[in-house]
Amino acid sequence: MLLSKLAIVDTTLREGEQFFKSNFSTGDKVEIARALEQFGVEYIEVTSPTASPQSYQDCNNLAKLGLQTKVITHIRCHLEDAKIALETGVDGINLFMGTSKFLRQFSHGKSIDEIIDKATEVITFIHQQNPQIELRFSTEDSFRSSLSDLLGVYSAINQLGIVHRFGVADTVGIATPDQVYQLIQQMRQCFSEDIEFHAHNDTGCAIANSFSAFQAGATHIDTTVLGIGERNGITPLAGLIARLYTLDSETLKQKYSLSYLHKLNQLVAEKIGLSIPFNHCIVGEAAFNHKAGVHTKAVLNNSQTYEAINPNDFNLNRSILINHKLAGKNSIAHRANELGLNLETFHIQAITQKIKTLAEKENITVDNVDEILYSYHQSIS
């Protein structure tokens, strides 16, 4: 699968609304939608207009913003849901229906044959009402469904010749990358339609599973900003970008406004009242900080030694930490040069040892380190 052909379906305004801290206002949704468009995602998926009167109005408003990014909505495979979704003027409709034994027994209560019949009815109706609308049909809880059931449902829907892509959902986050690869590869061998993959992060595999799906031939990957969603959320946008960057950074830079990624994450973090996790891919506070002496020496010589991702491409900076007991002489020398202080190697070694000794006894700041450097320089001048 070529990266240039991949489409990101960002569902911050649908899956992200299910995050336990989310309560987006209409204004928030417009602001986030415009930010997602500025970053360059191909699709923005919004909450079903049947969820509430405000959801209906918001879906309608977002569909009429005139965004370059396609606005789609996610609905149950119900005729009434389809009628209401069509009223909003969205560019596409994503339908879903559970195929696992758990959801067939405890959710909608339908057999596989009944699922096929219902999906056929709703999909046919939508297409008759608006032949231009983009349609996706997804099985829910795909990885706790039998392969024969999955392929049976997809094959029956495929015979309609209406659906643009099929969705695969790791709804409870139990799939492994190998399982994902095998299923997507098998579907790719059976169907020419696009394939969309939706990964939950309950077991921490969402990014790996999404990348595996892409490698196997998936054309669309679902994300949310910060990975927010039901329970532990889904594939984080920044995480997917980080994974793809190491594959083909040049193509990624052409497709998306990478320098806007941090602002986008800051915006959503502000709206949900949480900080960006310190270890979040690319945009987390710790992402480009270097501390250990052997690391800082190498990074100062060539940043690629310990950075697979260039922070400059995201309008971010790396930090060489010097106010700690692990400080190395190379990082101290680098700081001295930044301050315009000309110090010999043996001076730097002495200063480094002093900083290490002091840092073992108390917390020190960069200003403290600078004071030591200036003081030492003055004493030898």
Side-chain angles (χ1 to χ4, degrees):
M1 177 67 191
L2 294 174
L3 181 52
S4 59
K5 302 296 184 182
L6 177 68
I8 292 176
V9 180
D10 189 88
T11 181
T12 302
L13 297 180
R14 197 278 297 177
E15 177 75 50
E17 273 213 290
Q18 296 171 202
F19 181 60
F20 79 113
K21 288 280 188 178
S22 295
N23 186 23
F24 299 133
S25 67
T26 297
D28 291 339
K29 292 179 185 180
V30 171
E31 196 173 351
I32 291 169
R34 292 196 183 281
L36 287 166
E37 179 192 37
Q38 184 167 344
F39 177 76
V41 299
E42 287 81 4
Y43 295 84
I44 295 172
E45 185 181 65
V46 304
T47 295
S48 170
T50 66
S52 70
Q54 190 60 56
S55 294
Y56 176 86
Q57 191 60 52
D58 290 343
C59 185
N60 200 304
N61 290 341
L62 292 168
K64 291 175 173 57
L65 282 178
L67 302 176
Q68 293 298 311
T69 301
K70 291 183 178 180
V71 176
I72 58 180
T73 193
H74 183 272
I75 66 169
R76 299 169 299 178
C77 207
H78 291 179
L79 206 56
E80 289 306 311
D81 285 26
K83 291 176 182 177
I84 294 170
L86 283 164
E87 292 175 3
T88 66
V90 289
D91 298 303
I93 296 176
N94 287 353
L95 302 105
F96 72 96
M97 205 157 190
T99 48
S100 70
K101 63 180 180 181
F102 296 100
L103 296 182
R104 296 200 327 258
Q105 181 177 355
F106 300 110
S107 180
H108 55 68
K110 289 181 171 55
S111 68
I112 292 297
D113 286 341
E114 289 173 319
I115 289 171
I116 291 171
D117 289 343
K118 175 57 69 174
T120 298
E121 177 191 17
V122 177
I123 290 167
T124 302
F125 171 79
I126 294 173
H127 182 69
Q128 289 173 342
Q129 298 302 307
N130 184 352
Q132 281 71 49
I133 202 162
E134 192 168 324
L135 282 170
R136 182 218 71 184
F137 175 80
S138 179
T139 59
E140 186 185 13
D141 205 8
S142 308
F143 290 88
R144 292 194 297 181
S145 304
S146 75
L147 180 60
S148 60
D149 285 343
L150 287 176
L151 295 181
V153 171
Y154 291 133
S155 295
I157 300 303
N158 188 52
Q159 290 175 16
L160 299 174
I162 295 173
V163 171
H164 296 83
R165 66 182 179 276
F166 292 118
V168 176
D170 184 18
T171 304
V172 294
I174 62 165
T176 67
D178 284 347
Q179 290 173 322
V180 172
Y181 190 93
Q182 290 169 15
L183 178 55
I184 299 299
Q185 186 180 56
Q186 188 150 9
M187 289 181 63
R188 179 49 63 221
Q189 292 169 352
C190 295
F191 309 111
S192 60
E193 285 75 16
D194 288 341
I195 299 173
E196 180 177 336
F197 182 69
H198 182 89
H200 274 264
N201 202 40
D202 300 72
T203 60
C205 289
I207 297 172
N209 284 342
S210 292
F211 185 67
S212 189
F214 166 71
Q215 287 184 307
T219 55
H220 295 63
I221 301 294
D222 290 5
T223 67
T224 60
V225 179
L226 295 174
I228 59 174
E230 191 77 22
R231 305 181 312 280
N232 288 347
I234 68 167
T235 304
L237 175 62
L240 180 65
I241 293 298
R243 178 63 275 177
L244 296 174
Y245 181 97
T246 63
L247 182 72
D248 185 354
S249 61
E250 291 307 312
T251 299
L252 205 66
K253 285 187 281 188
Q254 292 171 15
K255 282 175 68 67
Y256 305 112
S257 299
L258 301 186
S259 62
Y260 192 70
L261 183 63
H262 193 215
K263 289 183 179 179
L264 174 58
N265 279 265
Q266 286 179 317
L267 171 65
V268 174
E270 177 187 329
K271 298 302 183 186
I272 60 177
L274 293 176
S275 299
I276 297 174
F278 75 92
N279 60 345
H280 203 68
C281 295
I282 300 174
V283 298
E285 185 179 4
F288 300 106
N289 278 291
H290 302 279
K291 185 174 180 180
V294 291
H295 283 239
T296 55
K297 175 185 177 181
V299 167
L300 289 169
N301 288 330
N302 184 331
S303 62
Q304 293 183 58
T305 51
Y306 286 105
E307 284 181 354
I309 297 170
N310 186 347
N312 297 330
D313 287 338
F314 297 87
N315 199 29
L316 297 169
N317 300 308
R318 72 180 55 86
S319 295
I320 305 297
L321 304 179
I322 56 176
N323 54 315
H324 55 87
K325 64 183 178 182
L326 303 181
K329 61 183 180 182
N330 292 282
S331 59
I332 299 302
H334 176 72
R335 182 58 179 167
N337 288 333
E338 286 183 331
L339 297 175
L341 305 178
N342 186 20
L343 296 167
E344 299 291 340
T345 300
F346 69 93
H347 294 143
I348 293 294
Q349 289 174 331
I351 293 169
T352 302
Q353 191 55 53
K354 183 174 182 178
I355 291 169
K356 285 175 174 286
T357 301
L358 185 61
E360 286 180 337
K361 298 176 182 177
E362 59 186 84
N363 291 326
I364 62 173
T365 66
V366 174
D367 287 341
N368 296 144
V369 173
D370 289 350
E371 289 173 7
I372 294 171
L373 284 164
Y374 278 123
S375 177
Y376 206 100
H377 184 261
Q378 291 173 355
S379 70
I380 62 174
S381 298

